[in-house]
Amino acid sequence: MCHKGQYAGILAGLVTVLLWSCLPVLRSFAHLPPMLIAAVAMICAAGLAHMASLHYVRKDTSRIREGRYWLMAVGGLAGALYFYFLALQNGDPARITLVTYTWPLGFVLIANRLAGQGLSLRLLLGSAIAFTGLAPLVLSGSEGQATSLIAYAAGLAAGICWIAFSVYLRQAGALSLHGYRSLFLHVSLVALAMHGLFEQLPEAATSRDWAVAGLIGLGPYGAAFISWGFALQRGPATLLGLMTYLVPVLAALLLVLLGWSPASYQLALAATAVVAGALLSQGMRIRPGTT
């Protein structure tokens, strides 16, 4: 049976997955350069964390003096955003997404290793089932665009950055709301620098573009990253890793519900595979103290 802490972690993971699933829809309404969207979103996310932390007195600034904070937290999150957008510019979105979504398995394997656990056949089979079921759904939207080695490498780099970011949140202890505010601000500065170096200023941005970028910061970036950090502290790493495979499934379902995409057998197959993989990897139940 789950204890209350794990239930709370799993619930936070579900909230994260739901918020991340809304990102493709929101992103389609914001016609701004990718890293500028990331910068605006992170600034708004920092504002959200600041407003939520107003009634807290204690501020922990010790993390900003740690090298792994800058490398794994700031660098991991900023790198994940940058490399994913770089990959999308040089390859087919479906194939890039599939390559990037190898990261949940990497995270689970590393988290289990750090917890002193070995690789289990059940974990490998569950992950394989989830990923294999996800592939037809993602590739069904393929545009047939040529995908360069740079794109594949950037997609893989984005996944590695996600692993680093998630491992940091799980191993370094829970971030306070003040901590998330600092993290989001630091990432926004990196994103702004990348925008200045590699992107052009938008010529005809509308108020809706800026508003949607801000909304992304309040939801899929801000609240989602905070809930993901909470989930990683409380929930089982194996189940959380497999739950992230639900993101493209729920994103596709949302597009179907909005009438933007037709329903397909690939969607049903992917949903079934992810659930089956999660159940298999957990042995149909979650034991107290499992990771």
Side-chain angles (χ1 to χ4, degrees):
M1 298 295 292
C2 283
H3 54 69
K4 292 182 179 180
Q6 283 192 322
Y7 277 129
I10 294 171
L11 179 60
L14 287 174
V15 170
T16 303
V17 166
L18 289 173
L19 289 172
W20 282 345
S21 301
C22 297
L23 182 57
V25 172
L26 292 175
R27 177 65 180 87
S28 67
F29 288 110
H31 301 95
L32 297 172
M35 295 315 299
L36 182 57
I37 291 179
V40 172
M42 283 298 168
I43 291 172
C44 292
L48 173 67
H50 174 71
M51 293 299 295
S53 66
L54 287 178
H55 65 285
Y56 290 97
V57 177
R58 186 177 67 86
K59 298 181 180 181
D60 181 13
T61 60
S62 61
R63 293 179 189 269
I64 65 175
R65 295 189 292 270
E66 298 177 354
R68 66 172 182 164
Y69 166 78
W70 294 99
L71 179 63
M72 298 179 68
V74 177
L77 185 50
L81 297 173
Y82 172 71
F83 283 118
Y84 185 61
F85 290 138
L86 176 64
L88 291 178
Q89 291 174 358
N90 293 277
D92 179 78
R95 297 181 185 279
I96 295 304
T97 299
L98 192 62
V99 169
T100 303
Y101 264 84
T102 58
W103 80 263
L105 176 58
F107 162 70
V108 170
L109 297 180
I110 293 175
N112 282 6
R113 180 69 175 177
L114 292 175
Q117 299 181 1
L119 301 181
S120 69
L121 179 60
R122 189 170 60 197
L123 166 60
L124 294 176
L125 285 176
S127 298
I129 289 173
F131 184 77
T132 302
L134 184 67
L137 172 66
V138 175
L139 294 179
S140 66
S142 177
E143 299 174 0
Q145 178 181 346
T147 303
S148 66
L149 289 177
I150 292 177
Y152 283 119
L156 186 60
I160 293 172
C161 288
W162 275 117
I163 293 172
F165 176 69
S166 297
V167 169
Y168 175 83
L169 291 182
R170 185 167 182 88
Q171 293 294 315
L175 281 177
S176 66
L177 290 172
H178 289 291
Y180 278 107
R181 181 191 63 182
S182 297
L183 172 63
F184 294 150
L185 283 175
H186 293 148
V187 174
S188 71
L189 293 176
V190 176
L192 277 175
M194 291 179 176
H195 167 66
L197 290 172
F198 304 117
E199 296 177 341
Q200 299 292 325
L201 284 171
E203 296 181 355
T206 66
S207 57
R208 187 185 74 171
D209 294 326
W210 297 107
V212 172
L215 185 59
I216 289 173
L218 298 178
Y221 281 4
F225 288 141
I226 293 174
S227 62
W228 181 239
F230 180 86
L232 290 172
Q233 289 297 315
R234 302 292 185 91
T238 300
L239 183 58
L240 291 173
L242 287 170
M243 281 170 55
T244 60
Y245 287 125
L246 284 171
V247 174
V249 176
L250 294 178
L253 178 60
L254 180 58
L255 294 175
V256 170
L257 294 176
L258 290 173
W260 295 4
S261 180
S264 65
Y265 76 89
Q266 292 97 332
L267 178 58
L269 174 64
T272 302
V274 172
V275 172
L279 291 176
L280 175 62
S281 68
Q282 293 296 308
M284 303 300 290
R285 60 193 178 98
I286 302 172
R287 300 176 179 85
T290 58
T291 59

